[in-house]
Amino acid sequence: IKQQFSDELSAVKSRDELEKIRVAFLGKKGLVTEELKNLRNLNAEEKKVAGMQVNMLKNEIEQAIVDYQKTLEEMEYQKQIESAERYDYSIPSEVEVGTLHPITIVQKKIEDIFKTMGFIIEDGLEIQTEYNNFEAVNIPKNHPARDMTDTYYLENGQLLKTHTSASQNTIMKKYGAPKPGEPLKVLFPGRCFRNENIDASHENTFFQLEGMMIGEDISISNLIYFMKALLTEVFQREVKVRLRPGFFPFVEPGFELDINCAICGGEGCPTCKHSGWVELLPCGMIHPNVLSMGGIDPDKYTGFAFGLGLTRLAMMKYNIKDIRLFNSGNLKQLRQFTK
Ligand code: FA5
C-alpha cells in the first residue's frame, strides 16, 4: 500500500487529484480503512502487531497528504507570481500631476506662518445664520452697515456668509475665556459670497482669511506686529503699506491696511482703480459688544481681529491683473503658480 501510495502521489498535479487519493486511501472505503477493518479477523497477538503497522501507515499517509498540499499551494502561488503583470518602476510616469490652486498656496503659507506663532487653525461654515453673520458681530437688524454687503439669502432664511467674521462668535464660544498668560489665537480662512458687480478686482465668490487674538492685555501694537510679520513673510521683502481709519461695527477702533499695488507699482492701473493702493487688510480692536456676545468678559479681556482679503493678496503676490482668473478653471494659467 505504501509503495502504491507514493507512486500515485508523485503523479498528483492539483488539489482535486490529491483529494481523490486521500479518499482512495483514507476514505470510508479506502485501502487503509479496509486494512483497519480487517484487523478484527486476526487474533489478539496478530492484531497488536498489524494494528501498530496499519496505524503507522495511516499516520504517514495523512502527513504526506498535508505536506503535499503545502507543496501544491506554493507551486500555485509561484505560478501566480510568474504570470502577474510586471511593472518597471524606473520608467518615467506620463500621468499628469495636478497643482495646488494659487489661493491655496498662499493660504497654506499664511497658515504655516501663524502656526509657528501659536495660532490654532479653525474652519468656518459657508452657510450661516443671520445671527452669526450680522447680529453677533454687532450689526443689528436695520443697521445701515447691513447695506455694506449685498447678501445671498437662502430660502430657509440662512445665508451664504459675506465675511469670515461670521465665525467669530462660534469660535469664542467654542474656546471660552482665555486662561491667564495664554491668549486665544485663532486663524480662520474661508470662502465668502457677495452679490457684487464683478470687475477686475471684485468677485462674487472670494476668499478671506481672518485672525483673532484675545487675552488680558492685547493692544494695537500686538495687531501691528502680527500684520507686519504676515506681509513680510508672504512677500519675502519689505512691503509698502498705509493704515487709515476704517469703520466696521465689530471693531473699535478700526483700520484699513492698504498695500501698494504690485501690478503697477503704485502708478495706477485698473486693478487698483488707478489709486496705486489695494485694500487688503481691514482690522481693529474687537468691539466689547462682540466679546460679550461671544461669552467673553470685555472688562477683563481685549483682542484684535483682522480680515485679510486672501484672493486680493494672491493677486498681488502673483501679479494677477484680473480676479476672474481664479474661478475661471483655466488650468493652463492657474498651474504656472507653484510656490
Ligand atoms: C470685512 O469683510 C470685515 N469682516 C473684515 C474685518 C475683519 C475687519 C475683522 C475688521 C476686523 P471688507 O468688506 O472690507 O471687510 O472685506 C475684507 C477684504 O475682503 C477686503 O479688504 C478685500 O480684500 C476682500 N474683499 C471684499 N470684497 C471682495 C470682493 N468682492 N472680491 C474680492 N475680494 C473682496
Side-chain angles (χ1 to χ4, degrees):
I1 291 179
K2 197 171 170 179
Q3 188 56 48
Q4 188 187 342
F5 175 75
S6 70
D7 287 350
E8 288 188 25
L9 188 68
S10 59
V12 162
K13 288 206 181 59
S14 71
R15 288 200 231 184
D16 283 351
E17 287 172 16
L18 186 65
E19 177 59 11
K20 272 186 198 145
I21 288 196
R22 194 192 63 77
V23 175
F25 286 83
L26 303 175
K28 263 191 196 157
K29 290 184 181 156
L31 290 175
V32 178
T33 321
E34 290 299 327
E35 284 303 317
L36 281 169
K37 281 184 202 160
N38 288 342
L39 288 176
R40 65 178 165 228
N41 304 327
L42 302 176
N43 65 37
E45 202 50 36
E46 289 169 333
K47 212 186 248 176
K48 211 174 169 186
V49 181
M52 250 169 60
Q53 285 175 339
V54 181
N55 271 313
M56 257 169 64
L57 179 65
K58 185 178 174 234
N59 289 342
E60 272 175 43
I61 290 180
E62 274 172 353
Q63 190 58 48
I65 288 177
V66 171
D67 291 348
Y68 207 82
Q69 170 97 10
K70 275 192 197 141
T71 312
L72 280 176
E73 279 169 14
E74 261 164 39
M75 275 160 55
E76 277 173 28
Y77 182 59
Q78 212 54 36
K79 249 194 214 162
Q80 275 178 4
I81 292 178
E82 275 159 25
S83 64
E85 273 189 67
R86 289 183 181 277
Y87 295 100
D88 182 347
Y89 296 104
S90 64
I91 295 174
S93 154
E94 283 175 20
V95 178
E96 277 198 48
V97 179
T99 54
L100 292 178
H101 192 280
I103 293 178
T104 312
I105 298 174
V106 182
Q107 179 183 324
K108 278 177 174 280
K109 188 166 270 203
I110 298 173
E111 285 180 6
D112 287 345
I113 299 166
F114 276 83
K115 271 193 233 164
T116 64
M117 299 193 289
F119 277 70
I120 307 162
I121 315 291
E122 273 287 337
D123 203 5
L125 298 173
E126 288 182 351
I127 295 177
Q128 288 283 1
T129 56
E130 268 197 272
Y131 175 80
N132 279 340
N133 200 80
F134 295 122
E135 260 107 283
V137 282
N138 210 27
I139 314 177
K141 281 203 171 73
N142 308 320
H143 189 284
R146 289 207 187 189
D147 297 336
M148 291 197 319
T149 56
D150 271 350
T151 310
Y152 290 114
Y153 281 91
L154 304 178
E155 280 172 3
N156 66 2
Q158 292 189 313
L159 49 84
L160 298 182
K161 80 168 164 219
T162 63
H163 55 177
T164 40
S165 306
S167 304
Q168 284 192 7
N169 187 266
T170 314
I171 293 174
M172 285 181 201
K173 284 178 179 157
K174 175 172 173 185
Y175 290 98
K179 294 194 190 89
E182 276 178 55
L184 173 63
K185 294 192 265 184
V186 201
L187 196 72
F188 38 112
R191 183 158 33 190
C192 305
F193 308 85
R194 292 182 195 178
N195 190 6
E196 298 267 15
N197 287 323
I198 294 172
D199 61 26
S201 56
H202 291 84
E203 255 291 3
N204 54 19
T205 305
F206 59 95
F207 283 83
Q208 288 185 346
L209 185 146
E210 186 138 341
M212 255 186 340
M213 179 171 180
I214 303 171
E216 271 168 341
D217 37 36
I218 304 301
S219 68
I220 293 179
S221 42
N222 294 108
L223 168 65
I224 292 171
Y225 169 81
F226 281 104
M227 298 307 97
K228 268 201 175 151
L230 160 68
L231 295 172
T232 317
E233 275 293 327
V234 169
F235 288 97
Q236 293 293 315
R237 60 178 164 86
E238 282 285 322
V239 281
K240 262 199 208 163
V241 296
R242 70 173 186 190
L243 205 63
R244 321 173 260 130
F247 172 71
F248 300 93
F250 33 93
V251 285
E252 182 54 42
F255 306 99
E256 284 278 8
L257 192 147
D258 300 338
I259 176 170
N260 193 245
C261 179
I263 310 288
C264 60
E267 297 291 311
C269 67
T271 308
C272 60
K273 296 219 162 59
H274 306 284
S275 70
W277 295 94
V278 177
E279 194 185 285
L280 188 70
L281 221 168
C283 50
M285 300 303 292
I286 302 173
H287 196 288
N289 290 353
V290 176
L291 289 173
S292 294
M293 282 185 276
I296 294 178
D297 182 357
D299 292 331
K300 208 168 160 201
Y301 301 99
T302 51
F304 70 72
F306 62 88
L308 173 78
L310 186 60
T311 305
R312 295 236 179 109
L313 182 71
M315 289 175 80
M316 292 298 111
K317 179 163 172 63
Y318 296 118
N319 243 299
I320 293 171
K321 295 183 179 59
D322 197 315
I323 198 168
R324 285 165 282 203
L325 172 70
F326 291 113
N327 294 347
S328 68
N330 183 341
L331 295 184
K332 224 176 182 177
Q333 296 223 26
L334 287 171
R335 59 185 306 154
Q336 353 164 29
F337 310 104
T338 51
K339 52 180 185 201

